[in-house]
Amino acid sequence: GINGLEVLKKIKERSPKTKVIVLSGQQNVQVVADFIENGAIEYIQKDNNAIEKLVRYINLEREKISKSN
């Protein structure tokens, strides 16, 4: 199989404007940096609050989009 970073790279190759939020259990700072350097707009670590953080981030992005229209 392929890892999350490879998936991110393929997404950005095919659709560079697509915004990608990574949700992962990785805690390594270099791994997080690699995701951000390769186009992830946000990295959320899996924990007890991960879904809440993801929903909050998505709502903030929606607000930005609606304000720009």
Side-chain angles (χ1 to χ4, degrees), residues 6-21:
E6 291 170 349
V7 171
L8 173 63
K9 289 177 180 179
K10 288 185 180 291
I11 291 169
K12 297 307 275 186
E13 278 176 17
R14 293 183 181 153
S15 182
K17 292 183 180 183
T18 298
K19 294 182 178 184
V20 178
I21 300 170

Side-chain angles (χ1 to χ4, degrees), residues 8 12 18-24 31-45 50 53-58 60-61 64:
L8 173 63
K12 297 307 275 186
T18 298
K19 294 182 178 184
V20 178
I21 300 170
V22 174
L23 179 63
S24 176
V31 171
V32 175
D34 288 344
F35 277 111
I36 299 300
E37 288 172 3
N38 282 281
I41 61 168
E42 184 63 63
Y43 182 94
I44 298 173
Q45 185 176 342
K53 291 175 191 174
L54 180 59
V55 169
R56 189 176 328 127
Y57 193 85
I58 290 170
L60 287 172
E61 287 298 309
K64 288 180 190 176

